[in-house]
């Protein structure tokens, strides 16, 4: 039943993406491949900066728009020269490394290549805010998040592998925050919540409104987002799932309810923020060069935050009374109730915790995809969340962590050999293989049926 539902949701996800994909505020590019980026000094977009791409019959110069974005389409794979005209930069803005003024870059397995032009003082020279002059931005109609975690500044295959590993680790930890929410809900209620992706989108949207629309400081916006996400999780149980439990509605019917809830919330979010991709007015920090890998400070901080939060969740589940009660309910709800545990209270706490974790994952995901928000961004990675949960073992919080990290790394490494648009299909393949050969998952335990 779970496999069939996941397959249906996967097909719907592909269709919804194809229909709803809306272009960014970039010039329409019919070319099948492109180089792109965002030219910023700190968090300030730079307009009118000229970028030139030459090679393989292409010689095109474009100027950045008011949002600092640029894109140049190219007709075929190959090696191209990408150069920035430093004379068009505002006074006082210089490249951190002069060698970045003109570089040869290759389009091979990817359809879209983000180009970095870091600004600021030279490395080791001190000072400078390290403006991120080349954040990778999704191509028009493409899924956000392709290659925005960490980028290699060299075409060497080893450097590309290292960059994808680092990006995959960060992506996997981000997925783990949301996946643990799924597995806790499943463990305590038996419900596979297909509206869980909308909890992630909700967190991102609240963060967008508080930072970009209301212009609140980031730390206040984060607190407000987590509180709102906790309330949203509480409302899910109070308004929908607890009444269904009281009526003893079957799990298949509840599964259908979650699918309907997912659709309703998704299009409500589209009504709120539109069908395109919205940028957040948040600072992603300086570009940090670690060997051949370049990444933004925000991605490093996001990874560290995810590790700390996951460690705190592990401590909560193993060392606190509520955590132990949660594990008891997950293991056997009837026996837990007979032992004096308030099962409904534990389930309510689980929903609140799942809302906080998934809302926090929504905040981190907006940074991961380049400080952007999209109305269905949670739905697009729902398959990855369920693949991680299934791989780790349904009902096992620690299994969800392991499975999500593996899925994150595998999907990112797959972009070395596949087009980025196909990377989520790898997660579906992993899911199918797990269900065929080890349905209990890595840390799950076998159960006799019948």
């Amino acid at each position: 039943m779970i496999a069939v539902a996941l397959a249906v949701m996967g097909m719907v996800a592909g269709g919804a993406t194809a229909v709803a994909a809306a272009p960014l505020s970039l010039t329409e590019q019919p070319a099948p491949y492109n180089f792109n980026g965002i030219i910023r000094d700190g968090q300030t977009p730079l307009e009118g900066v000229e970028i030139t791409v030459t090679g393989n019959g292409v010689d095109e110069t474009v100027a950045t728009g008011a949002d600092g974005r640029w894109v140049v389409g190219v007709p075929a794979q190959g090696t191209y020269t990408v150069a920035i005209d430093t004379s068009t930069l505002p006074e006082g803005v210089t490249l951190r490394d002069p060698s970045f003024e003109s570089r040869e870059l290759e389009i091979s397995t990817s359809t879209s290549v983000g180009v970095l032009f870091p600004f600021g003082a030279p490395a080791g020279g001190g000072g400078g805010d390290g403006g991120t002059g080349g954040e990778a931005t999704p191509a028009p109609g493409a899924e956000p998040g392709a290659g925005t975690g960490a980028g290699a500044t060299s075409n060497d295959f080893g450097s590309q592998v290292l960059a994808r590993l680092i990006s995959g680790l960060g992506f996997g930890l981000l997925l783990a925050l949301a996946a643990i929410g799924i597995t806790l809900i499943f463990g305590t209620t038996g419900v596979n919540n297909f509206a869980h992706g909308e909890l992630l989108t909700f967190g991102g949207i609240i963060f967008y409104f508080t930072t970009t629309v209301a212009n609140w400081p980031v730390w206040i916006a984060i607190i407000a987002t987590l509180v709102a996400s906790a309330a949203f999780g509480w409302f899910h149980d109070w308004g929908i799932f607890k009444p269904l439990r009281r009526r003893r509605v079957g799990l298949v019917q509840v599964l259908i309810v979650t699918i309907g809830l997912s659709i309703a919330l998704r299009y409500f979010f589209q009504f709120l923020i539109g069908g395109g991709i919205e940028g957040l007015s948040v600072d992603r920090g300086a570009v940090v060069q670690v060997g051949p890998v370049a990444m933004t400070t925000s991605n490093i901080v996001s990874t560290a935050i995810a590790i700390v939060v996951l460690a705190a969740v592990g401590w909560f589940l193993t060392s606190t009374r509520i955590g132990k009660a949660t594990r008891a309910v997950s293991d056997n709800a009837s026996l837990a109730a007979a032992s004096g545990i308030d099962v409904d209270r534990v389930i309510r706490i689980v929903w609140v915790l799942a809302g906080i974790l998934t809302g926090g994952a929504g905040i981190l995901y907006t940074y991961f995809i380049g400080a952007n928000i999209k109305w269905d961004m949670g739905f697009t990675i729902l398959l990855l969340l369920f693949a991680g949960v299934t791989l780790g073992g349904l009902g096992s919080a620690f299994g969800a962590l392991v499975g999500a990290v593996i899925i994150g790394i595998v999907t990112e490494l797959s972009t070395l050999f596949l087009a980025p648009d196909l990377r989520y299909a790898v997660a579906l393949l992993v899911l199918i293989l797990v269900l065929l050969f080890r349905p209990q998952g890595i840390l799950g335990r076998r159960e006799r049926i019948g």
Side-chain angles (χ1 to χ4, degrees):
M1 181 185 72
I2 296 174
V4 172
L6 286 170
V8 172
M9 293 294 286
M11 290 186 289
V12 173
T17 300
V19 172
L24 295 170
S25 56
L26 303 169
T27 304
E28 290 289 344
Q29 296 290 339
Y33 306 95
N34 69 76
F35 293 96
N36 61 74
I38 307 176
I39 304 298
R40 288 174 174 163
D41 179 24
Q43 191 59 27
T44 305
L46 301 181
E47 183 178 5
V49 178
E50 294 185 354
I51 309 294
T52 301
V53 177
T54 57
N56 298 319
V58 175
D59 187 356
E60 183 175 353
T61 299
V62 297
T64 56
D67 56 1
R69 299 177 186 266
W70 64 272
V71 63
V72 175
V74 295
Q77 296 177 339
T79 301
Y80 296 84
T81 300
V82 182
I84 183 172
D85 186 351
T86 54
S87 65
T88 60
L89 292 172
E91 184 177 355
V93 178
T94 58
L95 290 172
R96 181 183 305 163
D97 186 348
S99 66
F100 276 42
E101 183 174 347
S102 178
R103 287 175 291 160
E104 286 191 352
L105 299 174
E106 182 181 5
I107 288 185
S108 54
T109 58
S110 175
T111 58
S112 179
V113 174
V115 184
L116 292 169
F117 292 108
F119 301 135
D129 61 2
T132 57
E135 296 178 16
T137 181
E143 281 301 314
T148 59
T153 56
S154 168
N155 288 325
D156 176 70
F157 182 74
S159 300
Q160 296 289 339
V161 170
L162 180 59
R164 293 298 91 204
L165 277 173
I166 294 174
S167 181
L169 177 61
F171 187 37
L173 291 171
L174 181 157
L175 291 176
L177 289 175
I180 287 177
I182 289 179
T183 202
L184 287 177
I185 292 171
F186 174 81
T188 53
T189 66
V191 173
N192 287 288
N193 181 24
F194 282 95
H196 201 79
E198 280 55 60
L199 285 172
L200 186 144
T201 307
F202 179 82
I205 289 176
I206 297 298
F207 189 61
Y208 164 73
F209 275 110
T210 51
T211 57
T212 305
V213 178
N215 291 316
W216 290 1
V218 171
W219 67 273
I220 296 180
I222 291 174
I223 294 174
T225 300
L226 295 180
V227 171
S229 297
F232 197 48
W234 177 88
F235 177 78
H236 269 66
D237 185 58
W238 175 80
I240 301 174
F241 294 101
K242 185 175 181 178
L244 292 177
R245 287 197 306 274
R246 284 180 174 175
R247 290 173 173 81
R248 300 186 181 277
V249 175
L251 291 179
V252 174
Q253 290 88 339
V254 175
L255 177 68
I256 295 172
V257 169
T258 67
I259 294 175
L261 179 63
S262 170
I263 295 172
L265 287 174
R266 195 157 64 249
Y267 287 101
F268 175 69
F269 294 155
Q270 185 185 34
F271 172 78
L272 287 180
I273 64 173
I277 298 176
E278 300 293 331
L280 277 70
S281 59
V282 294
D283 188 0
R284 297 188 68 205
V287 175
V288 178
Q289 187 80 26
V290 182
V293 179
M295 64 190 81
T296 61
T297 305
S298 63
N299 286 326
I300 298 174
V301 173
S302 295
T303 301
I305 290 174
I307 292 173
V308 171
V309 172
L310 290 170
V313 171
W315 174 82
F316 168 80
L317 292 175
T318 57
S319 302
T320 66
R321 291 184 63 187
I322 296 296
K324 293 176 181 178
T326 300
R327 293 164 59 199
V329 172
S330 178
D331 187 62
N332 191 318
S334 299
L335 183 59
S339 302
I341 295 175
D342 187 341
V343 174
D344 277 338
R345 177 172 177 265
V346 169
I347 292 175
R348 185 69 53 82
I349 291 173
V350 163
W351 272 102
V352 171
L353 179 61
I356 293 173
L357 291 175
T358 312
I363 295 174
L364 299 184
Y365 190 56
T366 61
Y367 279 98
F368 184 81
I369 62 176
N372 292 313
I373 181 73
K374 195 166 184 282
W375 63 281
D376 64 345
M377 68 178 192
F379 183 68
T380 59
I381 64 170
L382 182 65
L383 175 64
L384 301 184
L385 298 178
F386 273 101
V389 169
T390 306
L391 176 60
L394 281 170
S396 170
F398 299 105
L401 167 60
V402 174
V405 170
I406 292 174
I407 290 295
I409 292 175
V410 169
T411 54
E412 287 296 305
L413 285 178
S414 69
T415 60
L416 294 171
F417 311 101
L418 302 173
D421 295 341
L422 299 176
R423 68 193 186 280
Y424 292 169
V426 176
L428 180 59
L429 177 62
V430 171
L431 178 62
I432 293 171
L433 293 175
V434 170
L435 291 174
L436 284 175
F437 299 106
R438 190 177 172 84
Q440 74 270 28
I442 295 175
L443 298 184
R445 58 183 186 272
R446 292 186 178 184
E447 293 184 5
R448 186 185 182 108
I449 298 177

